Amino acid sequence: SSTTHFNAGSSVTGTGIMAVTGGTTNVNVNLTLPVNIQVNQSGGIVSGAGPLNIDGAYNWTGGTISGVVNINNGGILTVSAAGVILSNVLTIQNGGIFNWTAANINFNGGTLNNNGTINCSNAANISMSFSGGVTAFNNNATGVLNKTSGAGNLNNSVNTSNAGTFNISNVTFTQTANT
């Protein structure tokens, strides 16, 4: 399989769609994906020292992401694949919008720091589950977690710190880990 490297001096400009369907994409530099670039990741591996900064739309339906991902103000990360894993080498810094339409996000030592908005819009049960390592979901002072529609409930077994807002209505929120 192929490998693409973004090293010192690399940048992404223009408009269009960047499809990641296989192989490995190494982000070895502070790389910003501008607002006019939409990334559709259905497979492959995106990794590296980064960070990877998202100013536009990033649609994650498969594959693996590791390192640090910053969803900047105006950026949108949509996770729509069940069983997405936030591994011990992935930290997501959300300052934009994180649309969570998948049923389960598995924290395997990963960290999600929310300073923006997380929209949980799946009609099924949505779970943040723990499978090892030091895990954290930090909903900081400006962070908002919305789960207000659909028939499903929000189940959380991840260590959670909330200084922001949990906007939960018409569903059951179950917390089973230390908060």
Side-chain angles (χ1 to χ4, degrees):
S1 70
S2 65
T3 302
T4 300
H5 297 278
F6 289 96
N7 294 318
S10 296
S11 65
V12 176
T13 61
T15 61
I17 296 175
M18 178 186 293
V20 180
T21 60
T24 302
T25 302
N26 288 320
V27 179
N28 298 316
V29 64
N30 188 341
L31 182 70
T32 298
L33 299 174
V35 69
N36 295 326
I37 300 290
Q38 175 181 309
V39 178
N40 297 328
Q41 182 179 1
S42 61
I45 300 167
V46 176
S47 65
L52 177 62
N53 303 293
I54 300 169
D55 284 351
Y58 196 114
N59 300 308
W60 186 9
T61 61
T64 303
I65 303 174
S66 64
V68 175
V69 175
N70 297 318
I71 308 163
N72 295 328
N73 187 14
I76 301 170
L77 173 65
T78 300
V79 177
S80 57
V84 166
I85 297 174
L86 298 181
S87 69
N88 59 356
V89 292
L90 176 61
T91 298
I92 295 178
Q93 307 281 0
N94 181 35
I97 297 173
F98 183 157
N99 292 318
W100 176 5
T101 63
N104 186 47
I105 292 183
N106 187 348
F107 285 69
N108 185 13
T111 301
L112 173 56
N113 294 313
N114 185 36
N115 294 299
T117 301
I118 298 174
N119 297 311
C120 304
S121 60
N122 191 315
N125 288 337
I126 292 181
S127 298
M128 291 187 285
S129 60
F130 168 76
S131 65
V134 176
T135 63
F137 169 51
N138 301 307
N139 196 46
N140 298 320
T142 59
V144 177
L145 172 73
N146 293 314
K147 176 62 172 127
T148 59
S149 63
N153 297 315
L154 180 61
N155 304 308
N156 184 24
S157 62
V158 173
N159 291 325
T160 300
S161 171
N162 182 37
T165 302
F166 278 14
N167 184 16
I168 299 170
S169 63
N170 301 319
V171 298
T172 300
F173 175 73
T174 304
Q175 176 69 49
T176 58
N178 296 328
T179 57

